[in-house]
Amino acid sequence: DQQVKQNSPSLSVQEGRISILNCDYTNSMFDYFLWYKKYPAEGPTFLISISSIKDKNEDGRFTVFLNKSAKHLSLHIVPSQPGDSAVYFCAASARQGAQKLVFGQGTRLTINP
Amino acid sequence: DAGVIQSPRHEVTEMGQEVTLRCKPISGHNSLFWYRQTMMRGLELLIYFNNNVPIDDSGMPEDRFSAKMPNASFSTLKIQPSEPRDSAVYFCASSWTGGRGGYTFGSGTRLTVV
């Protein structure tokens, strides 16, 4: 039972354009959401997070949007750069058992020059 | 800080053999997590520890898998006997209990069981 789903295994975007990665969740107890970025042969690294009391969080070129009613979040990267090519994982946690992160399957983003 | 250190980086073993994966968390972190990455399911939590005590092992697939954390600076994940379907990348991560922030992951161990 996948509580966190990333339905797009891959995404290809031209350099300079916007990249939009999507994530859906089913557990209404989730109240904190994170995005991780993973390069080949490395572990995932934390990118950006958002609490359920917000609907948007921005950090430089990266913005995460949360739609609680739709149980959907998205990561926007503007403008996309070649170094953004990686696998992106969406993750969620609930206040009870807050340390336990549930991850999605990941989306491989490729930025084309 | 050297980050979360996992060993070995790669392991190739024959079916039926015992495999032991090792992890050294970041000093001061009191939570440790073992994840497995597969194409189909992404990152699956196998087990996590708080202050060296196993809290949730519901993700451990079978009795063939076991994990220990004898002290705050070391943990092992053992598979005995190993099977080809155990082939995956295994990640260890650590964090500080007090925050809702993210984990720090190690570089992973790529396990191939032939």
Side-chain angles (χ1 to χ4, degrees), chain A residues 10-55:
Chain A
S10 62
L11 176 67
S12 186
V13 174
Q14 193 170 1
E15 182 179 359
R17 300 289 185 105
I18 182 171
S19 295
I20 300 177
L21 296 98
N22 294 303
C23 178
D24 297 296
Y25 62 96
T26 58
N27 189 341
S28 59
M29 300 301 292
F30 288 149
D31 68 340
Y32 194 73
F33 305 89
L34 308 89
W35 285 93
Y36 280 78
K37 178 179 181 180
K38 184 186 179 304
Y39 292 119
E42 295 182 9
T45 55
F46 170 72
L47 186 58
I48 191 170
S49 63
I50 188 168
S51 166
S52 60
I53 62 173
K54 296 184 174 181
D55 56 16

Side-chain angles (χ1 to χ4, degrees), chain A residues 1-2 31-32 34 36 38 41-46 87 89 93-95 97-106, chain B residues 9 31 33 35 37-43 45 48 50 56 58 91 95 97 100-108:
Chain A
D1 177 29
Q2 285 287 118
D31 68 340
Y32 194 73
L34 308 89
Y36 280 78
K38 184 186 179 304
E42 295 182 9
T45 55
F46 170 72
V87 176
F89 289 97
S93 73
R95 182 163 300 281
Q99 301 142 323
K100 178 178 174 179
L101 290 183
V102 179
F103 284 84
Q105 304 95 313
Chain B
R9 288 298 306 273
S31 293
F33 308 83
Y35 279 83
Q37 183 189 6
T38 61
M39 290 294 292
M40 289 297 295
R41 300 184 64 85
L43 285 163
L45 177 65
Y48 80 93
N50 273 356
D56 184 347
S58 59
F91 287 101
S95 72
T97 309
R100 297 294 298 275
Y103 303 161
T104 301
F105 279 85
S107 298

Side-chain angles (χ1 to χ4, degrees), chain B:
Chain B
D1 197 327
V4 176
I5 300 173
Q6 291 187 247
S7 64
R9 288 298 306 273
H10 303 274
E11 176 79 38
V12 180
T13 190
E14 290 185 349
M15 182 174 62
Q17 295 298 307
E18 177 180 296
V19 175
T20 300
L21 311 181
R22 297 173 176 79
C23 176
K24 176 178 168 50
I26 288 177
S27 177
H29 281 185
N30 61 349
S31 293
L32 183 139
F33 308 83
W34 282 100
Y35 279 83
R36 177 171 67 177
Q37 183 189 6
T38 61
M39 290 294 292
M40 289 297 295
R41 300 184 64 85
L43 285 163
E44 294 178 276
L45 177 65
L46 300 177
I47 185 171
Y48 80 93
F49 297 84
N50 273 356
N51 297 317
N52 314 337
V53 176
I55 302 301
D56 184 347
D57 65 353
S58 59
M60 296 286 262
E62 300 171 33
D63 291 344
R64 298 184 297 107
F65 286 70
S66 62
K68 294 182 180 179
M69 192 165 185
N71 56 62
S73 59
F74 184 66
S75 177
T76 59
L77 177 68
K78 186 177 293 186
I79 308 173
Q80 166 63 18
S82 58
E83 297 182 2
R85 59 192 167 124
D86 301 330
S87 298
V89 181
Y90 291 80
F91 287 101
C92 175
S94 69
S95 72
W96 166 240
T97 309
R100 297 294 298 275
Y103 303 161
T104 301
F105 279 85
S107 298
T109 295
R110 180 174 293 278
L111 173 65
T112 302
V113 183
V114 298

